[in-house]
């Protein structure tokens, strides 16, 4: 019996001292290798089309700097990993790793730190200039520096919380509605099932959108340091 609603996100398993549920994060790696296929499978063709579309999308956001070719592959991989884990969480009795801040923050913080270190070490003047937006009056410049610094520091937190909160919100709503099922009449139960199906479709859209938002914002943050 659940002690609270958030216990549905508890990564514990029946095996003591072993949180095997975190292994579901890496199940997607099993589905990616395609070198053993004589002919490309439908799964391989679909993933290739998605990656080509994302590459064209991210290439327009990334600066055309010498030596930066192929950098969009990192963000495509990030998108694929988040998308797979978001969809895995929609299945019954499957652990949703992207609903935990440990997972989302461990993806956002290293990215942000690497961008900041690269920017301040290689483009210091550009990073200082970025703290004051163009056209700012001289009186407001000290305040704008403080505001831009704070907004820059909270970027990994906003990336992590946005993804985790969106995953938690939909799952909690589905859990709350599902708990009322045994106490409803047949008519209300059919309405509840229809609502659950619609919410599941909405959650599938949220899973795609949130993974795309995470990858696009990471791409935009990297383009600012060049």
């Amino acid at each position: 019996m659940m002690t609270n609603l958030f216990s549905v996100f508890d990564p514990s398993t029946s095996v003591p001292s072993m949180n095997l549920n975190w292994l579901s994060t890496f199940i997607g790696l099993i589905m990616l290798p395609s070198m053993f296929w004589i002919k490309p499978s439908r799964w391989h063709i679909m993933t290739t089309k998605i990656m080509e579309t994302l590459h064209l999308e991210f290439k327009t956001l990334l600066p055309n700097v010498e030596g930066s070719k192929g950098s969009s592959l990192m963000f495509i991989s990030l998108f694929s990993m988040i998308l797979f884990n978001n969809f895995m969480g929609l299945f019954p009795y499957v652990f949703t790793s992207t609903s935990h801040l440990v997972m989302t923050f461990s993806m956002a913080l290293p990215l942000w730190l690497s961008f900041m270190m690269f920017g301040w070490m290689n483009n210091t003047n550009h990073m200082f200039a970025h703290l004051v937006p163009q056209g700012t009056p001289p009186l407001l410049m000290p305040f704008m520096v403080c505001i831009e610094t704070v907004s820059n520091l909270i970027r990994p937190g906003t990336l992590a919380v946005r993804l985790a909160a969106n995953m938690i919100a939909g799952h909690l709503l589905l859990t709350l509605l599902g708990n009322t099922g045994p106490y409803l009449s047949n008519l209300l139960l059919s309405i509840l099932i229809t609502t659950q199906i619609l919410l599941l479709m909405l959650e599938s859209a949220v899973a795609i959108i949130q993974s795309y938002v995470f990858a696009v914002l990471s791409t935009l943050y990297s383009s600012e340091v060049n």
Side-chain angles (χ1 to χ4, degrees):
M1 184 176 177
M2 289 192 301
T3 54
N4 57 60
L5 284 172
F6 287 94
S7 62
V8 296
F9 303 104
D10 189 7
S12 62
T13 56
S14 57
V15 182
S17 71
M18 289 183 68
N19 294 332
L20 297 178
N21 280 326
W22 286 105
L23 292 177
S24 66
T25 307
F26 307 104
I27 291 177
L29 298 176
I30 302 169
M31 309 171 89
L32 291 178
S34 56
M35 63 183 73
F36 302 111
W37 288 87
I38 297 173
K39 193 175 175 183
S41 62
R42 290 184 180 90
W43 170 257
H44 178 60
I45 293 169
M46 185 183 73
T47 51
T48 305
K49 290 289 184 185
I50 293 171
M51 287 184 181
E52 286 175 356
T53 307
L54 287 171
H55 173 67
L56 294 174
E57 182 78 22
F58 293 155
K59 194 169 69 171
T60 58
L61 299 174
L62 289 167
N64 191 12
V65 181
E66 189 65 31
S68 67
K69 291 180 179 178
S71 56
S72 63
L73 183 63
M74 177 176 66
F75 302 106
I76 292 171
S77 304
L78 186 67
F79 169 86
S80 304
M81 181 180 179
I82 297 172
L83 180 64
F84 180 81
N85 284 291
N86 288 351
F87 268 116
M88 283 291 290
L90 296 177
F91 289 96
Y93 303 105
V94 177
F95 175 63
T96 314
S97 58
T98 47
S99 64
H100 284 255
L101 279 174
V102 173
M103 176 74 176
T104 56
F105 203 69
S106 63
M107 289 188 292
L109 187 61
L111 275 175
W112 177 81
L113 271 178
S114 60
F115 297 154
M116 287 297 103
M117 289 173 66
F118 176 84
W120 286 105
M121 290 169 67
N122 296 288
N123 302 315
T124 310
N125 291 332
H126 172 75
M127 295 298 287
F128 274 120
H130 191 69
L131 293 176
V132 182
Q134 192 174 4
T136 305
L139 280 174
L140 293 178
M141 282 184 181
F143 300 104
M144 290 306 298
V145 170
C146 295
I147 292 168
E148 288 293 324
T149 305
V150 171
S151 68
N152 209 347
L153 289 174
I154 64 172
R155 278 178 176 178
T158 55
L159 272 178
V161 171
R162 181 187 292 109
L163 178 59
N166 278 282
M167 289 297 103
I168 286 173
H171 285 63
L172 278 181
L173 189 56
L174 287 168
T175 305
L176 279 169
L177 289 174
N179 288 340
T180 60
Y183 311 105
L184 298 178
S185 62
N186 291 336
L187 177 62
L188 291 175
L189 191 61
S190 60
I191 296 172
L192 176 65
I193 291 171
T194 307
T195 308
Q196 292 272 58
I197 292 169
L198 292 174
L199 275 173
L200 204 58
M201 291 170 63
L202 178 64
E203 276 296 290
S204 302
V206 169
I208 300 169
I209 291 167
Q210 287 306 313
S211 52
Y212 179 74
V213 166
F214 195 101
V216 166
L217 286 176
S218 303
T219 309
L220 289 173
Y221 295 160
S222 71
S223 65
E224 286 182 4
V225 301
N226 287 314

